[in-house]
Amino acid sequence: VPVDGSHWLSMREVLDGLRQKGHEIVVVAPEINIHIKPSENFIMKMYPIPFTKEEMDGSIHSFSQDVFEEGSFLERFGKVYQRLKSISAIALSACAHLQYNKELVRYLEESKF
């Protein structure tokens, strides 16, 4: 966690390889994400989070724009730092909502996840 973005793109190949070797794969992900989509190769367990896809996409898009924006190094650094704080807050919120999702945590515990 976090598992989305480029982390997921790399992990997807690993999961496909494990599935080919006969392993049962369970993917736990927030309902709002970028790349994690259901597949026949794994069981998907999703949990709600308190922000929208538009909010998440907007935060990531703004970060990308700020990285390449014109201006002094100090101005760009300040903007990028603020955007990273925002993205980190979203990731932390997603982690907390997983941790406090009693039904999902119970499922994971009972299945020896």
Side-chain angles (χ1 to χ4, degrees):
V1 176
V3 296
D4 208 351
S6 61
H7 305 310
W8 174 250
L9 298 177
S10 300
M11 183 57 71
R12 184 72 193 260
E13 290 185 36
V14 173
L15 298 180
D16 290 343
L18 289 170
R19 178 68 177 178
Q20 289 175 1
K21 293 184 180 201
H23 294 275
E24 180 181 75
I25 310 296
V26 177
V27 172
V28 177
E31 288 177 341
I32 306 298
N33 63 72
I34 300 169
H35 297 293
I36 304 171
K37 304 299 175 226
S39 168
E40 294 178 2
N41 292 333
F42 52 80
I43 298 166
M44 189 84 168
K45 294 291 183 181
M46 300 185 94
Y47 60 95
I49 51 177
F51 48 87
T52 66
K53 180 147 179 59
E54 290 77 20
E55 289 171 320
M56 185 175 66
D57 288 346
S59 183
I60 292 168
H61 181 73
S62 296
F63 172 77
S64 300
Q65 284 185 321
D66 288 346
V67 168
F68 298 106
E69 190 174 271
E70 295 289 326
S72 73
F73 172 78
L74 191 56
E75 288 173 328
R76 289 183 295 132
F77 180 82
K79 287 181 180 180
V80 168
Y81 176 74
Q82 291 303 317
R83 295 293 183 200
L84 281 174
K85 282 178 50 178
S86 173
I87 291 170
S88 295
I90 288 171
L92 182 61
S93 175
C95 292
H97 280 79
L98 168 59
Q99 180 181 3
Y100 295 111
N101 186 316
K102 292 179 182 183
E103 181 181 325
L104 181 54
V105 169
R106 187 177 322 113
Y107 165 83
L108 296 173
E109 289 172 345
E110 290 173 358
S111 66
K112 308 283 191 250
F113 185 79

